[in-house]
Amino acid sequence: MKAVDREILRLAVPAFLALVAEPLFLLSDAAIVGHLGTPQLAGLGVAAVILQTVVGLCVFLAYGTTASVARHLGAGDLRGALAQGVDGVWLAILIGTVATVGGILLTPPLVAVFDAGTEVAAHAETYLAIAFLGTTPLLVMLATTGVLRGLQDTRTPLLVAVVGNGLNIALNVLLVYGLDLGIAGSAIGSVIAQVISAAWLVAVVVRAAREHDAPLSPDRAGILAAAHAAVALVVRTLALRACLLVGTYAVTRVGTHGTDVNVATHQIAITLWSFLAFALDAIAIAAQALTGRALGSGDVDTTRRLTRRMVRWGWGSGIVAGLGLAASAPFIGFLFTSDPEVRALLVPVLLVAAVGQPLAGVVFVLDGVLIGAGDGRFLAWAGLVVLAAYAPAALWAATLPHGVVAVWVAMTVVFMGARGLLLSWRARSDHWLVTGTTSRR
């Protein structure tokens, strides 16, 4: 068991640090923009949800690539592993180009969906129209990170994430306050940091491909195969992202406080929740890589043993995250806003989120195991079931007293609870244990 723990930690610790660094892009933006004013912070909240949804829908570029590359690695086909990875990068470029153009053109109607008020909408549109220019670099970062994780390298993405995030913070401070560009400066700084980070990761993958004589030119068949395999993961991600969008929409319907206060509070809370989700997802990243490699080599017993051990790690890390969030809840609001109403409302919301962290740790681990196994069809159906359960619960919660807190209770009990039940049931079966270089999608 010590050997298993060492293997998990070898991948999970760098992944943890890299995953924590990733949401710091938004955390640093929120901290810097938040001191411009509550409408600016609320505008960032709306823009961030839209941008995270667009990019989040393409997370298959990392997850699917990790699983397929790891399977080929487990089967001893390193050249094939890199070829799969390169196909994923080209797919990221194609999708990113379409998303950038479409996102910029659709920015006003996307923001209007949230009906957050004229001033908040103006700030959201300003940020989002610029931030969409970083879509292609972000998707390329996902794909190249997936390649490296599949090759069992989580250290390189960590280094890139740390340097990129540091650059993002420096540019945000310079552009927002030094050059007095306001919320637009925050978006510009983030885009520049994303371009540099993506270029760095591409250079690493290209060098590895050349060393092992893997093709670098676009392969139509390979790109189409990667896109086809990703459909189920897209549906899964779309359903889960829709849950988060429903939660944000529900918060805008709460009448206890002004809309700005509710949305700003929810933005800080969801940013912190996402921060912890990325941190807890470190074991899931290890699960994707290790599960794919083990099944690629045909070792079902090791796959089972790794799964049991990683679930225990998920419980433990979730408990630690929950205790940390609960302890910091009364104080952390001061980092993001000077509005006393937002800070007061944030405390009970974060306490609810803290209670759900142990369950979240297990959910993310099992999600990673099944992604690593290529069990995309089940994950897609499970995501749709969760959405069907959570959407009415969140909208009903918004009508209750203390509506923002009630929406977060629904998120913890219904959204995460339903995921936990479905994933645990699947993990106990044998249907996902498919060996070899090709998984059942």
Side-chain angles (χ1 to χ4, degrees):
M1 197 59 68
K2 288 183 179 179
V4 173
D5 287 341
R6 284 196 298 270
E7 187 76 353
I8 293 170
L9 289 172
R10 181 181 67 81
L11 294 173
V13 171
F16 163 74
L17 296 172
L19 288 167
V20 167
E22 287 180 27
L24 282 175
F25 273 100
L26 280 177
L27 276 173
S28 59
D29 285 358
I32 293 168
V33 171
H35 290 286
L36 291 174
T38 299
Q40 287 89 339
L41 180 58
L44 174 63
V46 172
V49 168
I50 296 171
L51 188 63
Q52 285 177 315
T53 299
V54 173
V55 175
L57 288 176
C58 299
V59 75
F60 67 85
L61 291 166
Y63 290 174
T65 304
T66 296
S68 61
V69 169
R71 277 183 176 268
H72 280 273
L73 182 68
D77 182 13
L78 183 55
R79 183 180 183 276
L82 286 163
Q84 291 259 313
V86 170
D87 290 337
V89 174
W90 281 111
L91 180 61
I93 292 172
L94 292 174
I95 295 174
T97 301
V98 173
T100 299
V101 175
I104 292 173
L105 293 176
L106 294 174
T107 288
L110 287 172
V111 171
V113 169
F114 292 87
D115 191 24
T118 303
E119 187 176 5
V120 172
H123 291 303
E125 289 181 21
T126 297
Y127 185 93
L128 195 59
I130 298 169
F132 265 123
L133 296 174
T135 305
T136 300
L138 280 170
L139 299 193
V140 169
M141 288 168 65
L142 286 176
T144 49
T145 296
V147 176
L148 296 174
R149 288 173 180 166
L151 296 174
Q152 319 293 291
D153 175 12
T154 54
R155 293 184 178 181
T156 300
L158 165 61
L159 178 60
V160 174
V162 170
V163 174
N165 187 66
L167 180 61
N168 177 64
I169 294 173
L171 288 170
N172 267 253
V173 172
L174 173 64
L175 296 172
V176 172
Y177 295 110
L179 298 182
D180 197 26
L181 295 180
I183 195 170
S186 177
I188 294 169
S190 294
V191 170
I192 293 173
Q194 289 154 7
V195 169
I196 293 173
S197 297
W200 187 348
L201 288 168
V202 166
V204 173
V205 172
V206 167
R207 184 170 63 248
R210 285 175 174 167
E211 287 177 358
H212 297 279
D213 197 31
L216 290 172
S217 58
D219 176 44
R220 184 174 181 271
I223 294 172
L224 289 175
H228 181 266
V231 171
L233 283 180
V234 171
V235 173
R236 166 255 183 204
T237 305
L238 180 62
L240 298 182
R241 291 302 309 179
C243 287
L244 299 182
L245 282 171
V246 168
T248 299
Y249 178 80
V251 166
T252 66
R253 308 267 72 82
V254 175
T256 306
H257 296 273
T259 299
D260 288 4
V261 172
N262 291 331
V263 175
T265 300
H266 182 73
Q267 162 59 13
I268 295 173
I270 201 68
T271 301
L272 290 168
W273 186 88
S274 299
F275 177 87
L276 292 176
F278 276 105
L280 294 174
D281 217 25
I283 308 298
I285 297 303
Q288 292 173 25
L290 294 175
T291 300
R293 190 183 71 184
L295 291 176
S297 66
D299 194 342
V300 172
D301 290 339
T302 294
T303 304
R304 284 287 193 192
R305 187 169 66 254
L306 285 168
T307 300
R308 289 192 296 269
R309 193 62 180 171
M310 286 184 289
V311 166
R312 294 179 184 176
W313 276 93
W315 275 117
S317 58
I319 290 170
V320 171
L323 291 173
L325 184 59
S328 62
F331 316 105
I332 200 165
F334 289 92
L335 295 176
F336 299 97
T337 180
S338 55
D339 189 323
E341 285 191 87
V342 174
R343 292 201 300 260
L345 183 57
L346 185 62
V347 175
V349 168
L350 292 184
L351 290 176
V352 171
V355 171
Q357 292 306 298
L359 174 60
V362 175
V363 166
F364 297 148
V365 165
L366 291 177
D367 199 47
V369 168
L370 296 179
I371 289 173
D375 197 21
R377 289 182 183 176
F378 171 80
L379 292 172
W381 282 110
L384 293 174
V385 170
V386 171
L387 174 60
Y390 173 67
L395 294 173
W396 174 71
T399 67
L400 299 176
H402 310 292
V404 177
V405 178
V407 169
W408 274 84
V409 171
M411 182 173 177
T412 300
V413 175
V414 182
F415 176 55
M416 297 306 295
R419 291 183 69 189
L421 287 174
L422 290 169
L423 295 177
S424 297
W425 173 76
R426 184 65 168 184
R428 285 193 292 268
S429 75
D430 295 327
H431 298 295
W432 56 280
L433 292 167
V434 180
T435 59
T437 58
T438 303
S439 60
R440 180 170 54 232
R441 298 285 177 176

